[in-house]
């Protein structure tokens, strides 16, 4: 006779989605019972500022700075809104200011004060942020189950029609460039704060590639590791000099980024690294690259010492690695649980969630030396890391953590 008590899976809320605003000063969390919005980092503590109990699930959120507008998509077992609708919620007036309906599930959105970018499984749509919103353009993509897309002040970036490719579109002119970024489907991408660098990672997860948005040239290739991994998040620091990367290896990596200075050169290299369609840009200055003057390179480029200079060895010996790394917390998927015999049940895809899994290891930079990593799930966590300097070089260490759901 089994006298063990039943496992109670109903205690506490479950975070289905988490995402930072544009400057990472706040993050919004979509819950299975609503959204828990605006945890503000003024002096670093994770402080809950606004919460709304919709008594139903929110699967995707996107903040517009610290304004009263937040984009919401229903999700979870009991979604608040249909998963094919994007709701722009006016939290000051407590109503849906904008509703956009689509033929398939809305996977992700990006907001600026003038644009709304929306990702479906095979389509990207750009709208002017007006009342009512005006559709500007629409683009076909390869399968995009995670809803990858990036919105800058002048360009948008998203997967191309062929897996591994990136489409980059100038908002003003509509010019389109195609970047053959990877040989396998994309897993993560981000634009730098100044909009000059695009970072991408594929499903393989061993390499992160950097491209200039000016001419689409590949400017660097960074190695996360040798074993394949699922990249959770990419984020570039406010000064556009550092890149933070998280993955399912439960590790935060920090890389130096090359910076570019405009100079005149031939366009032959551009032609070898980018494919353009008839409407794309025709010419642009090339970028010469260098590491910041005050940044030592021994920590990453010389990871294998003299071996990195020997010919005929595999390229992993000479690749550029992160200068520091630190472990992060990764919890189980919220709908995974234990069976009565103690074995783990298979992970159940969450309805209305991009990729079917709660977001993990989402990275935001508070300043040049402070990184915050947040994750969704039943045990949602906020972790703060600092980049420091010591006798042995630079390091990354965790300075604090908190269960932001209050569990």
């Amino acid at each position: 006779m089994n006298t063990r008590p039943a496992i109670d899976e109903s205690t506490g809320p479950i975070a289905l989605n988490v995402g930072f605003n544009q400057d990472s000063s706040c993050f919004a969390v979509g819950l299975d019972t609503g959204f828990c919005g605006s945890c503000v980092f003024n002096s670093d503590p994770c402080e809950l500022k606004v919460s709304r109990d919709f008594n139903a699930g929110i699967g995707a959120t996107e903040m517009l700075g610290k304004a009263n507008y937040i984009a919401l998509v229903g999700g979870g077992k009991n979604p608040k809104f249909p998963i094919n609708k994007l709701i722009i919620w006016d939290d000051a007036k407590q109503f849906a200011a904008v509703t956009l309906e689509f033929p398939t599930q809305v996977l992700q959105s990006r907001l600026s004060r003038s644009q709304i970018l929306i990702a479906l499984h095979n389509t990207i749509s750009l709208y002017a942020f007006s009342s009512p919103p005006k559709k500007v353009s629409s683009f076909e993509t390869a399968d995009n189950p995670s809803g990858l897309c990036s919105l800058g002040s002048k360009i948008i970036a998203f997967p191309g029609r062929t897996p591994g490719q990136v489409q980059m579109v100038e908002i003003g002119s509509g010019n389109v460039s195609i970047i053959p970024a990877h040989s396998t489907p994309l897993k993560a991408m981000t634009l730098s704060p100044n909009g000059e660098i695009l970072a991408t990672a594929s499903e393989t997860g061993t390499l992160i590639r950097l491209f200039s948005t000016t001419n689409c040239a590949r400017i660097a290739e960074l190695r996360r590791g040798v074993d394949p991994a699922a990249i959770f998040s990419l984020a570039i620091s406010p000064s556009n000099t550092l890149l933070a990367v998280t993955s399912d290896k439960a590790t935060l990596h920090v890389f130096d980024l090359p910076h570019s200075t405009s100079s005149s050169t031939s366009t032959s290299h551009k032609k070898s690294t980018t494919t353009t369609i008839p409407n794309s840009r025709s010419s642009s200055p090339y970028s010469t690259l260098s590491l910041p003057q005050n940044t030592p390179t021994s920590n990453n480029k010389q990871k294998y010492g003299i071996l990195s200079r020997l010919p005929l060895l595999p390229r992993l010996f000479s690749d550029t690695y992160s200068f520091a790394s630190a472990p992060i917390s990764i919890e189980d998927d919220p709908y995974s649980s234990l069976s009565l015999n103690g074995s783990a049940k298979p992970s159940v895809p969450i309805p209305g969630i991009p990729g079917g899994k709660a977001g993990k290891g989402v990275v935001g930079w508070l300043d040049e030396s402070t990184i915050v990593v947040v994750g969704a799930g039943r045990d949602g966590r906020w972790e703060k890391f600092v980049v420091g300097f010591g006798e042995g070089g630079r390091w990354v260490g965790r300075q604090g953590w908190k269960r932001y759901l209050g569990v």
Side-chain angles (χ1 to χ4, degrees):
M1 179 177 179
N2 186 3
T3 59
R4 297 171 62 183
I7 297 174
D8 183 4
E9 298 180 354
S10 63
T11 58
I14 297 174
L16 303 179
N17 173 274
V18 60
F20 287 98
N21 67 346
Q22 286 76 10
D23 63 3
S24 300
S25 60
C26 308
F27 66 88
V29 181
L31 302 176
D32 58 343
T33 56
F35 80 89
C36 166
S38 298
C39 293
V40 180
F41 303 95
N42 293 323
S43 56
D44 285 343
C46 177
E47 299 175 341
L48 175 64
K49 294 299 183 182
V50 178
S51 64
R52 296 286 177 259
D53 188 358
F54 290 144
N55 197 30
I58 298 296
T61 62
E62 174 70 8
M63 300 182 68
L64 177 56
K66 293 183 180 180
N68 53 300
Y69 292 110
I70 181 168
L72 305 174
V73 181
K77 296 178 180 178
N78 180 31
K80 170 63 177 177
F81 308 107
I83 62 174
N84 68 324
K85 290 185 178 181
L86 178 75
I87 307 297
I88 306 295
W89 179 264
D90 186 339
D91 199 58
K93 298 180 179 179
Q94 293 289 295
F95 83 111
V98 173
T99 300
L100 294 172
E101 185 173 355
F102 299 90
T104 60
Q105 177 184 347
V106 177
L107 295 173
Q108 193 56 268
S109 65
R110 296 287 182 257
L111 300 180
S112 72
R113 294 189 178 275
S114 58
Q115 310 288 341
I116 304 173
L117 186 64
I118 300 165
L120 310 181
H121 191 79
N122 292 104
T123 307
I124 293 289
S125 296
L126 180 66
Y127 286 78
F129 202 152
S130 57
S131 183
K134 180 181 178 181
K135 189 172 185 178
V136 176
S137 54
S138 182
F139 305 90
E140 293 182 8
T141 71
D143 289 346
N144 184 17
S146 298
L148 298 180
C149 60
S150 294
L151 172 62
S153 60
K154 297 180 180 179
I155 64 170
I156 58 175
F158 48 90
R161 295 185 180 183
T162 301
Q165 289 186 348
V166 175
Q167 290 189 66
M168 202 161 56
V169 182
E170 292 180 353
I171 295 176
S173 65
N175 289 343
V176 179
S177 295
I178 307 297
I179 302 175
H182 301 271
S183 59
T184 55
L186 297 171
K187 182 64 176 179
M189 66 167 58
T190 189
L191 286 168
S192 61
N194 64 5
E196 295 181 359
I197 298 175
L198 172 69
T200 65
S202 74
E203 289 183 351
T204 305
T206 54
L207 297 173
I208 295 92
R209 291 184 173 134
L210 307 176
F211 300 89
S212 167
T213 59
T214 303
N215 54 21
C216 301
R218 191 170 81 186
I219 59 179
E221 186 173 82
L222 310 174
R223 180 168 287 277
R224 179 210 56 80
V226 179
D227 296 331
I231 300 298
F232 287 153
S233 180
L234 305 173
I236 297 176
S237 65
S239 67
N240 312 285
T241 58
L242 298 174
L243 171 70
V245 180
T246 56
S247 72
D248 65 353
K249 298 295 186 181
T251 305
L252 166 69
H253 291 273
V254 183
F255 296 84
D256 283 314
L257 292 187
H259 66 275
S260 61
T261 55
S262 297
S263 61
S264 299
T265 187
S266 68
T267 60
S268 60
H269 182 70
K270 172 190 168 184
K271 292 179 180 179
S272 67
T273 57
T274 175
T275 303
T276 59
I277 63 177
N279 200 28
S280 62
R281 50 179 74 83
S282 58
S283 63
S284 57
Y286 186 68
S287 298
T288 58
L289 308 171
S290 62
L291 288 172
Q293 294 289 330
N294 59 351
T295 300
T297 60
S298 58
N299 288 0
N300 49 9
K301 284 199 171 184
Q302 306 300 325
K303 178 175 181 178
Y304 290 98
I306 193 173
L307 292 177
S308 64
R309 300 186 194 73
L310 296 179
L312 304 180
L313 288 179
R315 54 172 291 181
L316 65 91
F317 286 96
S318 58
D319 281 343
T320 301
Y321 289 78
S322 61
F323 66 77
S325 62
I328 63 173
S329 174
I330 298 179
E331 303 299 330
D332 292 334
D333 291 335
Y335 287 173
S336 294
S337 59
L338 295 177
S339 62
L340 292 179
N341 62 10
S343 62
K345 291 181 179 179
S347 177
V348 179
I350 307 172
I353 303 297
K357 295 184 179 180
K360 303 291 184 181
V362 182
V363 180
W365 288 86
L366 301 186
D367 54 47
E368 282 307 299
S369 61
T370 308
I371 303 170
V372 168
V373 179
V374 291
R378 191 181 299 277
D379 186 26
R381 293 200 183 196
W382 168 94
E383 298 178 275
K384 176 188 172 185
F385 297 84
V386 294
V387 180
F389 296 82
E391 294 182 359
R394 289 171 295 172
W395 51 267
V396 175
R398 191 173 76 171
Q399 194 175 66
W401 68 276
K402 179 180 181 180
R403 290 187 175 93
Y404 60 79
L405 293 179
V407 179

